[in-house]
Amino acid sequence: MLTLFFVDDLPAAAGLIYEFDGDDAHHAIKVLRISVGDIFNLSDGKGAWSRVVAEDVTKKSIRVRVLDSGFQNELATHFTIVQAIPKGDRIKESIEMSTEGGADRIVMWKATRSIGRADEKIEKLQNTAREASKQSRRFRIPAVVGVASTDSVVDEIAKADLALVFHESAVQTISQLVTPGARKVAIIIGPEGGLTDEELETFAAAGAKVVLMGRPILRSAHAGLAALAAVNTALSVW
């Protein structure tokens, strides 16, 4: 699969010559050793893409020619991950994994037992999603928003066709609760210390289904990816 980079001013017409520069170009030149004749993808991060060939490489930029271009439509099912803020570097890890799992939107939530902080990190976390999108060859970068309160999570539940809260106390599994058809899915992931009884009751009263992911108890930062994989399969998206 072709290497992917994001640009703000995507060249979209076949035959167009474009000067690819900046930090990503520097990485392509110095680390990936892109050379004349190499083909890779550029995207605006909103679905549009262009396949380009390198025609000239300097120390700081690559002159490319557009071979062809296109647009990747959104999937019929839209996934929002509501991620309780984990501590330390696990915040970044949670964004990377949810992005690689196909989340369209990631809401950072300050749960009662959240230890970490994300108030001043949203811009950096959006960049994390951008980098993870490059790694997973996504033409659409998920939006990272927050920091959400519990009341805001209730609003997310109201907007969803299907809202799932993963908790070890649940008795029903994904395969028992989820069937194809939902178009707006919200997946709520609790903090390392677990959801409080009040949070569970609040979300269930708002219409969310409390569901068991499986026997193993995952780290909060890893649970979003596992949940996306399981729900995508249950919904026949994958």
Side-chain angles (χ1 to χ4, degrees), residues 77-83 109 153 156-158 160-167 170 172-179 182 184-190 195 199-200 203-204 206-213 223-224 226-235:
T77 304
H78 183 280
F79 289 94
T80 294
I81 290 286
V82 177
Q83 173 68 58
W109 166 44
V153 177
E156 295 291 337
I157 294 171
D161 301 329
L162 173 66
L164 301 172
V165 183
F166 287 89
H167 196 264
Q172 289 186 293
T173 63
I174 294 172
S175 59
Q176 292 171 322
L177 279 176
V178 180
T179 56
K184 294 182 179 180
V185 179
I187 293 173
I188 301 167
I189 304 296
L195 296 165
E199 286 167 340
L200 271 179
F203 297 154
K209 299 179 184 297
V210 182
V211 63
L212 183 67
M213 190 177 297
L228 282 164
V231 176
N232 267 288
T233 301
L235 290 173

Side-chain angles (χ1 to χ4, degrees), residues 2 15 23-24 30 43 80 85 93 102 111 128 148 166-167 171 188 194 196 226 231 235-237:
L2 297 178
D23 292 342
D24 277 355
K30 297 298 183 181
S43 173
T80 294
I85 302 169
E93 191 176 15
T128 297
F166 287 89
H167 196 264
V171 295
I188 301 167
T196 65
V231 176
L235 290 173
S236 297
V237 176

Side-chain angles (χ1 to χ4, degrees), residues 126-196:
Q126 183 64 66
N127 188 60
T128 297
R130 180 180 183 273
E131 294 303 307
S133 296
K134 284 163 51 179
Q135 178 68 32
S136 53
R137 309 299 194 265
R138 289 185 56 166
F139 293 137
R140 291 181 173 277
I141 304 171
V144 180
V145 299
V147 171
S149 64
T150 296
D151 286 343
S152 296
V153 177
V154 170
D155 292 337
E156 295 291 337
I157 294 171
K159 292 185 288 187
D161 301 329
L162 173 66
L164 301 172
V165 183
F166 287 89
H167 196 264
E168 60 195 54
S169 68
V171 295
Q172 289 186 293
T173 63
I174 294 172
S175 59
Q176 292 171 322
L177 279 176
V178 180
T179 56
R183 291 293 177 263
K184 294 182 179 180
V185 179
I187 293 173
I188 301 167
I189 304 296
E192 295 287 358
L195 296 165
T196 65

